């Protein structure tokens, strides 16, 4: 039977047992710290505040009286309890026999669908000089959820506080999910969780924990490293019990790591293993909790999410950690070891999807650049997935910091427009054009992959967005930026229509096939309808420029159209020629959203500050400035004339 529990914010302890075994005396001795001379038939419910308990949770202690309560009332109290202390008298054989003949069967009937931990408490040990613990093994051998056997004395206060601590610990650190008592071994679920934790802490991927890695583990879980002597003592214990727990170079193996936690269980230290599990996000069902995977992060509607420097540094280190052969790419075996840190049912990507989105080597293996680009793209469109996988990969999460420090929320886009420059590092470009113009070939070209556009098919992104994406780095005035190309799918070639989501981007690339005369009119109509009055930078691209150019079937040819609408001339692009300039231009236009693109043709070497100036949007400003300069000049001439000294 598996005990399924959730993390408690309080503990409710119910004391049961025969009359005169000392249930009420135990409660009163705990509260008053002395043995009561007059004992009532039943103590009132006691609430112990969290600041005086080891686990810092409020604890409610409830008494039971056969005289004062009915069976129905008792059943109701059992249903409300989180743990039951079943008390017997060590000097009363009848109370011991009643554990198996009455109380445990009664509890089974009351707890048909629930498994509450039960703590057996032997009271009145001040009257005997022997222990009854061994006798109880016969009574409870087939009951896996009995937690401990503290022998206590209400009269001498022996083990009183320890008894209630054990009961509290049985709720907050239950053994049943992580330990099989009758087999004296960890549960399969616990072994699986601890194995993953071992892999996360194995920073050099040698399947061993060195002293440095052990101390990093200790600091994360217990806020303090182990001394050199303590580390050696741990290894001595492992060596004495198993042969393969410590390697020849004095590092702890996975078997040694699991043995230590098995030893903690045998010594009643379930709280130690639970501390480790909870520091890595596991709940009482031995699943990584949603709260751990998805910490709250507020991203306003006009802002975006990017990887912070800390997030990029972590992922870069992670990549090189698993790139064991140092070839700058993850082989299928290396990728498999990386994915072993994640749930097997949800790897972050499939090979086919990844190869269509980011840079890979000649074998189709993801490169360092492609790896970082993938997570930058994921952060942009699905930041919760990034936070989740940062947790899976072992991002250093503490009580003071979580994986949101690996993400940066950008400033609002309206501020970028006012300042005529963006501080963001990731730009989204929508590639728009009708069918067979080479949109997919252009998007794939950013990955430095050559394609026959007639054979390229769209591939859906794994970041939970329907349109396909590609992403790679490009340079804007010496700074590395990330350009995301999103292919906008054509809905009706006869009726040029875009949805608001199709228009919402940092820069638009309107693509037509320069070798066909029937494609320009489509993007020209879209520009006039959706972009001519917007503040989104737009660049026209004449695709398939390596083929003979055709005259376009439109009222204006592309060069006249661009001149009329104050656009830079259409950029000639051919996927076969590995053209990179088109991506630099698109990223630059996105970085300086108010700069008019036509200036790029005439002033390619101007500074970025000068590029921020928008001639088209500031005609009134220029006219006023020119008039002011003229007036000042005229006044200067007049003053100079009057102040000129008279001729002699």
């Amino acid at each position: 039977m598996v005990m399924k529990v959730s993390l408690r914010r309080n503990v409710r302890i119910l004391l049961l047992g025969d009359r005169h075994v000392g249930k009420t005396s135990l409660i009163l001795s705990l509260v008053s710290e002395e043995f009561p001379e007059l004992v009532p038939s039943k103590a009132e419910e006691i609430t112990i505040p969290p600041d005086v308990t080891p686990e810092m949770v409020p604890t409610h202690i409830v008494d039971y009286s056969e005289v004062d309560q009915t069976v129905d009332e008792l059943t109701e109290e059992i249903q409300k309890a989180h743990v039951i202390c079943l008390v017997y008298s060590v000097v009363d054989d009848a109370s011991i026999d009643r554990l198996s003949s009455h109380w445990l069967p009664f509890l089974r009937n009351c707890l048909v669908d629930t498994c509450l931990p039960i703590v057996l408490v032997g009271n009145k040990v001040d009257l005997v000089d022997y222990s009854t613990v061994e006798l109880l093994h016969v009574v409870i051998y087939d009951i896996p959820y009995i937690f401990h056997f503290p022998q206590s004395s209400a009269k001498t206060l022996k083990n009183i506080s320890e008894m209630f601590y054990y009961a509290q610990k049985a709720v907050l650190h239950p053994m049943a999910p992580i330990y099989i008592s009758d087999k004296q071994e960890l549960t399969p679920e616990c072994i699986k969780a601890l194995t993953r934790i071992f892999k996360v802490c194995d920073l050099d991927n040698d399947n061993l924990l060195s002293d440095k890695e052990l101390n990093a583990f200790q600091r994360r879980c217990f806020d303090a490293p182990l001394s050199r002597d303590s580390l050696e003592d741990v290894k001595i214990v492992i060596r004495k019990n198993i042969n393969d727990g410590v390697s020849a170079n004095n590092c702890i193996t996975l078997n040694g790591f699991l043995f230590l936690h098995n030893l903690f269980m045998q010594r009643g230290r379930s709280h130690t293993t639970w501390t480790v599990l909870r520091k890595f996000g596991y709940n009482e069902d031995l699943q990584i909790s949603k709260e751990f995977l998805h910490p709250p992060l507020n991203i306003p509607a006009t802002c975006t999410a990017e990887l912070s420097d800390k997030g990029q540094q972590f992922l870069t280190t992670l990549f090189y950690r698993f790139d064991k052969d140092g070839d700058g790419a993850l082989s299928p075996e290396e990728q498999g070891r990386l994915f072993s840190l994640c749930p097997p049912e949800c790897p972050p990507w499939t090979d086919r999807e990844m190869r269509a989105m980011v840079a890979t080597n000649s074998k189709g293996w993801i490169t360092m650049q492609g790896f970082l680009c993938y997570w930058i793209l994921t952060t942009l469109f699905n930041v919760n997935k990034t936070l989740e996988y940062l947790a899976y990969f072992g991002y250093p999460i503490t009580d003071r910091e979580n994986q949101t420090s690996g993400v940066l929320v950008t400033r609002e886009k309206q501020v970028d427009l006012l300042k005529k420059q963006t501080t963001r590092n990731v730009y989204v470009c929508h590639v728009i054009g009708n069918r067979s113009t080479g949109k997919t070939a252009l998007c794939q070209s950013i990955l430095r992959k050559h394609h026959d556009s007639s054979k390229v098919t769209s591939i859906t992104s794994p970041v939970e967005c329907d349109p396909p994406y590609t992403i790679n780095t490009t340079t804007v005035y010496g700074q590395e930026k990330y350009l995301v190309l999103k292919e906008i799918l054509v809905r009706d070639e006869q009726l040029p229509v875009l949805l608001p989501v199709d228009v919402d981007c940092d820069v638009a690339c309107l693509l037509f096939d320069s070798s066909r005369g029937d494609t320009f009119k489509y993007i020209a109509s879209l520009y006039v309808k959706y972009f001519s009055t917007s503040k989104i930078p737009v660049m026209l691209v004449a695709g398939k420029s390596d083929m003979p150019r055709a005259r376009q079937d439109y009222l204006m040819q592309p060069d006249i159209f661009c001149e009329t609408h104050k656009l830079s001339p259409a950029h000639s692009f051919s996927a076969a020629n590995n053209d990179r300039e088109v991506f630099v231009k698109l990223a630059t236009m996105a970085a300086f959203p108010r700069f008019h693109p036509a200036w790029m043709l005439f002033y390619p070497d101007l500074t970025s500050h000068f590029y921020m100036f928008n001639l088209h949007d500031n005609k009134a400003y220029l006219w006023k400035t020119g008039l002011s300069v003229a007036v000042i000049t005229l006044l200067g001439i007049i003053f100079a004339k009057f102040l000129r000294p008279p001729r002699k």
Side-chain angles (χ1 to χ4, degrees):
M1 184 178 294
V2 177
M3 183 189 302
K4 187 172 181 177
V5 293
S6 59
L7 186 60
R8 300 287 184 186
R9 297 187 181 277
N10 59 73
V11 174
R12 188 175 181 86
I13 302 173
L14 174 63
L15 272 69
L16 295 181
D18 290 344
R19 296 178 65 185
H20 308 306
V21 295
K23 303 185 299 296
T24 307
S25 298
L26 288 169
I27 297 174
L28 298 179
S29 293
L30 174 72
V31 174
S32 63
E33 296 185 350
E34 61 180 8
F35 182 68
E37 296 298 332
L38 296 176
V39 180
S41 60
K42 179 177 177 294
E44 297 296 325
E45 180 176 326
I46 302 297
T47 298
I48 301 176
D51 55 346
V52 297
T53 65
E55 300 291 345
M56 297 298 292
V57 293
T59 302
H60 309 279
I61 302 175
V62 181
D63 194 9
Y64 160 70
S65 171
E66 183 180 346
V67 175
D68 298 336
Q69 292 175 281
T70 65
V71 173
D72 290 341
E73 290 173 332
L74 173 58
T75 302
E76 183 180 349
E77 285 293 350
I78 292 172
Q79 298 294 339
K80 292 191 296 183
H82 299 152
V83 58
I84 293 172
C85 286
L86 191 51
V87 184
Y88 65 94
S89 171
V90 297
V91 295
D92 185 354
D93 292 341
S95 71
I96 297 176
D97 293 339
R98 288 257 299 171
L99 295 177
S100 56
S101 64
H102 171 71
W103 285 111
L104 292 175
F106 178 77
L107 290 173
R108 284 196 189 94
N109 292 333
C110 293
L111 305 171
V112 175
D113 298 322
T114 307
C115 293
L116 287 187
I118 298 173
V119 179
L120 294 183
V121 180
N123 192 27
K124 304 184 181 181
V125 294
D126 58 294
L127 301 178
V128 297
D129 56 1
Y130 56 87
S131 172
T132 59
V133 170
E134 294 299 326
L135 298 175
L136 296 174
H137 284 296
V138 179
V139 176
I140 52 84
Y141 75 95
D142 62 341
I143 304 174
Y145 47 89
I146 289 185
F147 190 76
H148 210 277
F149 319 108
Q151 303 286 284
S152 60
S153 169
K155 188 171 185 178
T156 63
L157 308 185
K158 180 180 180 180
N159 287 341
I160 299 297
S161 59
E162 288 81 357
M163 179 197 92
F164 289 102
Y165 170 65
Y166 285 137
Q168 188 185 63
K169 188 169 68 169
V171 177
L172 301 177
H173 311 295
M175 290 186 68
I178 62 176
Y179 189 65
I180 305 172
S181 300
D182 54 341
K183 295 183 179 179
Q184 293 191 330
E185 61 185 35
L186 301 172
T187 63
E189 295 80 9
C190 183
I191 292 174
K192 180 181 176 181
L194 291 174
T195 300
R196 178 187 161 272
I197 292 171
F198 180 91
K199 292 179 179 180
V200 168
C201 297
D202 178 17
L203 300 179
D204 57 6
N205 277 8
D206 63 351
N207 297 318
L208 300 169
L209 291 186
S210 65
D211 289 355
K212 182 178 179 180
E213 291 166 339
L214 273 171
N215 271 328
F217 165 80
Q218 281 289 127
R219 280 190 292 268
R220 176 163 181 171
C221 295
F222 305 103
D223 298 323
L226 290 172
S227 67
R228 184 183 298 273
D229 290 342
S230 297
L231 284 171
E232 288 306 314
D233 289 343
V234 168
K235 295 172 187 176
I236 290 171
V237 171
I238 297 175
R239 286 192 183 98
K240 285 183 177 179
N241 289 273
I242 58 175
N243 295 325
D244 58 348
V246 180
S247 68
N249 58 346
N250 205 34
C251 296
I252 292 181
T253 66
L254 174 60
N255 284 340
F257 185 74
L258 295 175
F259 165 78
L260 284 176
H261 287 280
N262 198 21
L263 188 63
F264 294 150
M265 297 299 104
Q266 294 173 10
R267 296 181 177 180
R269 292 177 55 188
S270 61
H271 58 282
T272 302
T273 299
W274 274 118
T275 298
V276 171
L277 291 168
R278 286 169 180 152
K279 286 293 183 178
F280 284 85
Y282 288 91
N283 58 23
E284 272 64 21
D285 299 325
L286 291 181
Q287 300 293 322
I288 302 179
S289 68
K290 293 181 179 179
E291 294 78 12
F292 187 83
L293 295 175
H294 302 134
L297 178 66
N298 180 40
I299 303 177
T302 58
C303 300
T304 59
E306 300 179 0
L307 284 177
S308 67
D309 290 342
K310 188 171 182 179
Q312 291 193 41
Q313 182 181 5
F314 172 80
L315 290 170
T316 301
T317 302
L318 181 76
F319 179 91
Y320 287 121
R321 171 183 159 193
F322 283 88
D323 180 20
K324 295 293 288 184
D325 56 11
D327 64 348
L330 294 182
S331 67
E333 294 76 17
E334 292 167 342
Q335 183 174 281
R337 285 194 286 271
L338 171 64
F339 287 178
S340 71
L341 302 180
C342 314
E345 65 274 9
C346 54
W349 64 73
T350 66
D351 290 341
R352 180 173 180 270
E353 292 167 337
M354 176 268 297
R355 283 194 291 268
M357 294 169 54
V358 299
T360 58
N361 68 4
S362 59
K363 298 179 181 179
W365 301 348
I366 192 167
T367 62
M368 174 62 231
Q369 183 177 342
F371 183 74
L372 203 55
C373 282
Y374 176 87
W375 290 111
I376 285 171
L377 177 65
T378 302
T379 304
L380 181 67
F381 291 113
N382 189 353
V383 68
N384 275 338
K385 181 176 180 179
T386 296
L387 295 176
E388 179 177 334
Y389 277 88
L390 285 175
Y392 290 147
F393 291 147
Y395 189 87
I397 300 171
T398 66
D399 295 336
R400 298 172 295 277
E401 181 180 322
N402 56 35
Q403 62 270 42
T404 57
S405 64
V407 174
L408 173 69
V409 178
T410 65
R411 72 185 183 188
E412 296 184 351
K413 290 186 178 181
Q414 296 93 320
V415 179
D416 289 343
L417 290 173
L418 289 173
K419 293 183 176 293
K420 304 173 186 176
Q421 182 178 8
T422 179
T423 59
R424 289 176 291 129
N425 296 302
V426 186
Y427 312 128
V428 177
C429 171
H430 286 185
V431 180
I432 306 171
N434 50 11
R435 293 184 179 91
S436 302
T437 54
K439 298 191 299 294
T440 303
L442 184 146
C443 292
Q444 289 291 298
S445 292
I446 198 174
L447 307 180
R448 295 179 171 84
K449 298 177 181 179
H450 299 285
H451 293 274
D452 180 351
S453 59
S454 65
K455 298 179 181 179
V456 175
T457 57
S458 298
I459 299 179
T460 302
S461 160
V463 292
E464 297 184 5
C465 298
D466 291 333
Y469 290 89
T470 53
I471 177 175
N472 210 341
T473 59
T474 188
T475 303
V476 177
Y477 295 109
Q479 294 184 336
E480 188 176 70
K481 304 293 182 180
Y482 294 87
L483 184 63
V484 177
L485 300 181
K486 173 183 177 182
E487 182 180 335
I488 302 301
L489 305 179
V490 175
R491 294 172 177 83
D492 187 346
E493 290 195 5
Q494 304 304 318
L495 184 63
V497 175
L498 296 177
L499 300 176
V501 68
D502 299 333
V503 181
D504 184 18
C505 58
D506 298 313
V507 60
C509 173
L510 303 186
L511 178 68
F512 67 99
D513 184 348
S514 62
S515 67
R516 289 169 46 193
D518 60 345
T519 59
F520 179 74
K521 60 183 178 182
Y522 181 81
I523 62 155
S525 301
L526 290 177
Y527 177 82
V528 172
K529 186 174 182 179
Y530 296 102
F531 294 101
S532 59
T533 58
S534 76
K535 296 179 180 179
I536 297 173
V538 177
M539 186 169 77
L540 270 59
V541 175
K544 304 182 183 179
S545 62
D546 56 321
M547 301 176 68
R549 181 163 296 195
R551 182 175 179 79
Q552 296 298 319
D553 182 18
Y554 188 63
L555 55 91
M556 285 184 284
Q557 292 304 296
D559 55 343
I560 304 300
F561 181 88
C562 292
E563 184 179 347
T564 301
H565 291 278
K566 297 182 173 60
L567 296 170
S568 60
H571 180 91
S572 297
F573 172 81
S574 170
N577 296 334
N578 194 24
D579 179 14
R580 312 299 303 166
E581 184 183 357
V582 62
F583 306 122
V584 175
K585 285 185 177 181
L586 289 168
T588 303
M589 293 167 67
F592 304 103
R594 295 292 293 257
F595 161 68
H596 199 279
W599 284 36
M600 295 181 71
L601 179 67
F602 306 110
Y603 304 101
D605 299 322
L606 292 178
T607 63
S608 61
H609 177 73
F610 191 65
Y611 268 111
M612 289 187 288
F613 190 73
N614 188 328
L615 176 64
H616 181 64
D617 289 343
N618 290 278
K619 287 182 178 179
Y621 174 78
L622 288 176
W623 184 84
K624 293 177 182 178
T625 302
L627 181 61
S628 300
V629 171
V631 170
I632 293 171
T633 303
L634 179 61
L635 290 174
I637 294 172
I638 294 173
F639 277 111
K641 183 176 181 180
F642 280 101
L643 294 176
R644 182 182 302 167
R647 294 180 179 178
K648 295 183 179 179

